[in-house]
Amino acid sequence: MQFKSLGDKRQVVSLSEAVFKGLADDGSLFMPEEIPALSDEFFQKLPGLSLPEIAFSVLKPFVSEDLSEDELREMVESTFSFPIPLKPVNDRIHVLELFHGPTQAFKDVGARFLSRLMSKLHPVTDKKMVVLTATSGDTGGAVAHGFYKVPGIDVVVLYPDGKISPYQQNQMTSLGHNIHAIAVDGAFDDCQRLVKQAFNDRELRGEVAVTSANSINLGRLLPQMVYYFQGVARFMEQNGQQPPVVCVPSGNFGNITAAVIAHRMGLPVKRFVAATNVNDVVPRFLKSGNYDPKDTIVTLANAMDVGDPSNWPRLFELYNQDTEQLKREVAATVVNDGEIKETIKEVFSKNSYLLDPHSATGYLGLSRQLKGEETGFFVSTAHPVKFLETIDAVLPAEAEKIREEFGDAFRVKGTHETMQNSYSKLKEYLLKM
Ligand SMILES: *Cc1c(COP(=O)(O)O)cnc(C)c1O
């Protein structure tokens, strides 16, 4: 399988190039050159397959020119080593819990698979390989854990000193080994600027192979397809043969893009719902036909606070950039902060199920969109422990229980390395590693 640039479609690269470059030379995203259909035999066996077995079959066509079957098997076994359960919330709605990974966020799977890909595919050189990334708190933990102890790769995560929660800080600083989390004396934007400067520094790149692990990387996107094979298989097991409506709480639209690719490979899904918070560029586009990105608005579901979703061109391309075609399969709906709080409260009191703000967006999006006899599932992208301030505000007794359960995670531990907000300091650090 080769991968094409969405800009200049003649630019075709190998998996390895797509993974290490992240973006094509023309600045566009990479997409698989084609989407293979899985066999009838696979779908017959699907209900009995384990997660690593599903992942192996689904990912194989994309990586078979670059990895041996044994290598792929080892990668999916170590990536998909935690459960992804489907649970009923009420008689029409199920939830697929994606938060049982090491940082309680769905990004764990993508980060883990990418790290293993990079470790397997990186060319043998004497240059040190460093994944360099800036975080405002949430994704840094998934990347740090994803690359933890992965041979041949060091990770440097920059985060704004004092501006992330102790819980988030612990997820990055308590690891050690090849994970270097550094508190920068500045804001998130400063961290991002330092990272950009490093990527543009030819002298540095002559010495150190710096690479990024951000969410547009195909190595993070592709393994997310596995969620939907798992979700649909479990759903049909529990509910008979009607394919589900699937709702994905969306920010950069990577997760829902993976879901649609899974459907193209043959996975039965009735239709999709993309649920956003008030950063609603896509829902507005589907209404007006006008793609009009806006500045980001801060919401309770802040991992989805995205004004101009980076994966949107991929999703649109899957429908040949035809809005009508897309709307036949994908609906979009907007959930505001008041509705998020209301939903968390209501679903807990009616169904004893505790949602985090992102998952609440997914739940409400699905329940609004189900018509007639339709049933379906939404994906839960984070454990409530990660967004405890909101749980505190609506269900304080539940927040307290979580605090007791996770106790230790809220006290700062681990070493806390700091750095001045200065590029020369970062460069010195990277060269000395
Ligand atoms: C990243 C993230 C999302 C959004 O996923 P996209 O692929 O960017 O649409 C939703 N919820 C949580 C908790 C996230 O971390």
Side-chain angles (χ1 to χ4, degrees), residues 106-107 138 249-255 303-304 358 381-382 387:
F106 91 92
K107 290 184 177 73
D138 207 42
S250 295
N252 273 317
F253 282 69
N255 205 5
M304 310 193 316
H358 306 79
T381 50
F387 298 92

Side-chain angles (χ1 to χ4, degrees), residues 198-344:
F199 282 116
N200 290 328
D201 183 342
R202 290 213 171 161
E203 191 191 38
L204 174 76
R205 299 190 77 165
E207 304 279 321
V208 184
V210 278
T211 187
S212 92
N214 61 26
S215 66
I216 49 103
N217 200 303
L218 269 181
R220 279 180 61 171
L221 187 89
L222 294 174
Q224 294 177 11
M225 290 188 294
V226 176
Y227 300 142
Y228 299 94
F229 286 89
Q230 162 78 353
V232 171
R234 300 289 91 84
F235 187 86
M236 290 170 77
E237 209 168 74
Q238 296 173 25
N239 300 278
Q241 291 310 301
Q242 282 306 320
V245 177
V246 173
C247 178
V248 185
S250 295
N252 273 317
F253 282 69
N255 205 5
I256 192 165
T257 298
V260 170
I261 298 176
H263 181 46
R264 289 293 163 84
M265 292 177 83
L267 184 70
V269 171
K270 174 98 190 277
R271 55 198 185 83
F272 296 97
V273 178
T276 69
N277 58 30
V278 295
N279 294 282
D280 61 349
V281 59
V282 170
R284 274 187 289 118
F285 171 70
L286 295 188
K287 262 201 196 122
S288 69
N290 202 358
Y291 191 82
D292 177 26
K294 295 236 161 88
D295 285 347
T296 304
I297 301 164
V298 177
T299 76
L300 296 176
N302 60 39
M304 310 193 316
D305 290 350
V306 181
D308 187 5
S310 57
N311 277 295
W312 169 249
R314 279 185 172 133
L315 186 62
F316 204 28
E317 178 70 18
L318 284 166
Y319 295 95
N320 303 311
Q321 309 198 17
D322 176 344
T323 315
E324 291 312 311
Q325 207 182 329
L326 183 135
K327 284 205 289 200
R328 280 196 286 276
E329 245 173 55
V330 184
T333 182
V334 184
V335 176
N336 66 35
D337 276 0
E339 293 166 331
I340 287 175
K341 285 191 183 167
E342 223 20 72
T343 302
I344 294 174

Side-chain angles (χ1 to χ4, degrees), residues 380-412:
S380 172
T381 50
H383 188 288
V385 67
K386 301 203 79 173
F387 298 92
L388 214 49
E389 315 75 51
T390 302
I391 310 297
D392 259 329
V394 289
L395 296 165
E398 291 314 302
E400 205 39 51
K401 279 189 210 156
I402 293 179
R403 238 179 230 107
E404 275 164 31
E405 183 188 340
F406 283 80
D408 211 29
F410 296 98
R411 281 184 292 278
V412 173

Side-chain angles (χ1 to χ4, degrees), residues 48-66:
L49 297 182
S50 69
L51 263 176
E53 286 166 344
I54 296 174
F56 180 82
S57 299
V58 169
L59 291 167
K60 194 173 124 185
F62 296 94
V63 305
S64 59
E65 277 164 48
D66 301 75

